[in-house]
Amino acid sequence: MEKIRQAVERAKASATEEPLRPITAPHGPMASPQAPPQSATQKSKPIASPTGLAPRFKDVELNRQRLEQRRIVAHNAADPRSKAFDMLRTQVLQSMDQKNWKFLAVISPTAGCGKTVTAINLAFSIARQPERSALLIDMDLPKPTVANYLGIKCQQGVRGILEGRTTLAAAIIRAHIDNCELMVLPTEGLTVHSSELIASRNMDSMLQDIKQFFRSQTVVFDMPPLLVGDEVLATLPRIDGVLLVTAVGVSTVHEIEECNKHLQATEVIRLVLNKAHEPAAKYYY
């Protein structure tokens, strides 16, 4: 478990007295599974419009109360709970900047570790920084939840792009809350043929478009749990680094060992431990 151990040691070395807040990801209602459409093999459409003009993204104002109910807090620098995600952001960006990386996958061994809440808060924390911006992508095709957490109505998203039914420009949403702006690429409903889509050429085309048209953004991928399917394994060769989210009482030693086996060829930038019991402190995270 050398790679996981090194990630833990890096986290300890840069940690302050304020620990990460134990978080639990809520479970929202999900759409019914859909059968693979006939257009699944279509070539993906490019981001650029036929006129060659810069794309115009859909603007959405997020609801503060909805975010609060789902523990999405890092958009607000005045909220003491955001400090834990700011520390995580600084550690992650320092590691990524050293190697000029831009693609970060947020994964967990299994469901229930707080992976999506961590990914959203981290993306908001990055987007809050001056001269920084972030693109959050919901790549958890078997069970997408980013749109539900943010209160975004997603009619076209990652699945539509990979099936060749829509463009990247049409699917991107510019989300606003306070003075924070976050670019979001959600996923519309459950996908029962997610493995085939992620392994497709359209996936490569989508990632190339993202690299080309979102050069200044740090791209945060909310991935499916690593041990419940092969979607993460198919994506890892295209990702720069990984943030592994685990949880006390949820993640077992055996599951972490299994993750380590799959991550031998991937850089584990940081490991987050959620739901840890902590003594009383000045701030609760």
Side-chain angles (χ1 to χ4, degrees):
M1 300 175 62
E2 183 63 19
K3 296 180 74 65
I4 302 297
R5 185 191 65 78
Q6 291 176 357
V8 174
E9 290 301 321
R10 285 197 299 268
K12 288 181 179 179
S14 55
T16 68
E17 295 180 355
E18 298 176 342
L20 288 175
R21 175 189 181 187
I23 50 180
T24 305
H27 300 283
M30 305 305 302
S32 300
Q34 300 183 20
Q38 294 181 352
S39 60
T41 59
Q42 284 184 276
K43 183 179 180 180
S44 62
K45 300 177 181 179
I47 186 173
S49 63
T51 61
L53 299 176
R56 297 186 61 183
F57 304 119
K58 179 180 179 181
D59 286 280
V60 173
E61 188 70 26
L62 302 180
N63 182 277
R64 182 187 304 275
Q65 183 178 2
R66 184 184 185 92
L67 298 182
E68 175 70 22
Q69 291 172 346
R70 287 155 178 80
R71 299 190 180 184
I72 308 302
V73 298
H75 57 86
N76 182 10
D79 191 322
R81 295 170 296 176
S82 70
K83 296 184 183 299
F85 297 104
D86 291 349
M87 289 189 292
L88 178 62
R89 169 201 68 198
T90 300
Q91 295 164 9
V92 167
L93 290 181
Q94 286 177 348
S95 297
M96 295 184 69
D97 288 348
Q98 289 176 359
K99 299 183 179 180
N100 197 28
W101 286 348
K102 67 182 285 103
F103 282 0
L104 175 71
V106 181
I107 67 174
S108 61
T110 58
C113 295
K115 165 184 63 68
T116 299
V117 173
T118 300
I120 297 175
N121 276 304
L122 176 60
F124 267 122
S125 182
I126 294 172
R128 262 188 25 243
Q129 279 203 314
E131 301 180 2
R132 291 276 189 177
S133 55
L135 171 61
L136 173 65
I137 302 180
D138 193 343
M139 285 301 300
D140 192 348
L141 301 185
K143 193 176 181 181
T145 54
V146 168
N148 180 58
Y149 279 26
L150 297 178
I152 294 174
K153 293 182 179 179
C154 178
Q155 297 179 338
Q156 49 191 358
V158 173
R159 193 180 71 200
I161 296 171
L162 298 183
E163 292 172 350
R165 295 183 288 101
T166 190
T167 66
L168 181 60
I172 292 285
I173 293 174
R174 185 185 286 112
H176 301 270
I177 180 70
D178 297 328
N179 294 321
C180 185
E181 176 182 292
L182 176 65
M183 307 297 287
V184 182
L185 177 54
T187 292
E188 62 279 38
L190 300 176
T191 306
V192 296
H193 57 300
S194 56
S195 296
E196 291 82 355
L197 289 178
I198 289 180
S200 68
R201 292 183 179 179
N202 282 354
M203 175 70 172
D204 292 323
S205 297
M206 184 184 76
L207 296 181
Q208 287 299 320
D209 283 344
I210 290 170
K211 285 183 178 180
Q212 180 179 357
F213 293 98
F214 296 94
R215 296 176 182 175
S216 63
Q217 275 81 5
T218 300
V219 184
V220 179
F221 295 85
D222 180 29
M223 300 297 302
L226 176 58
L227 302 181
V228 300
D230 66 338
E231 290 87 359
V232 175
L233 296 179
T235 308
L236 285 179
R238 301 142 158 168
I239 297 297
D240 295 320
V242 163
L243 177 69
L244 179 60
V245 180
T246 62
V248 173
V250 178
S251 306
T252 66
V253 173
H254 174 71
E255 289 169 347
I256 295 176
E257 290 175 344
E258 286 298 308
C259 288
N260 185 63
K261 293 178 182 178
H262 294 304
L263 296 173
Q264 289 297 318
T266 305
E267 181 73 21
V268 181
I269 295 178
R270 283 293 183 276
L271 183 144
V272 173
L273 179 63
N274 283 330
K275 305 181 183 180
H277 297 288
E278 303 169 6
K282 184 176 179 181
Y283 296 117
Y284 174 69
Y285 290 93

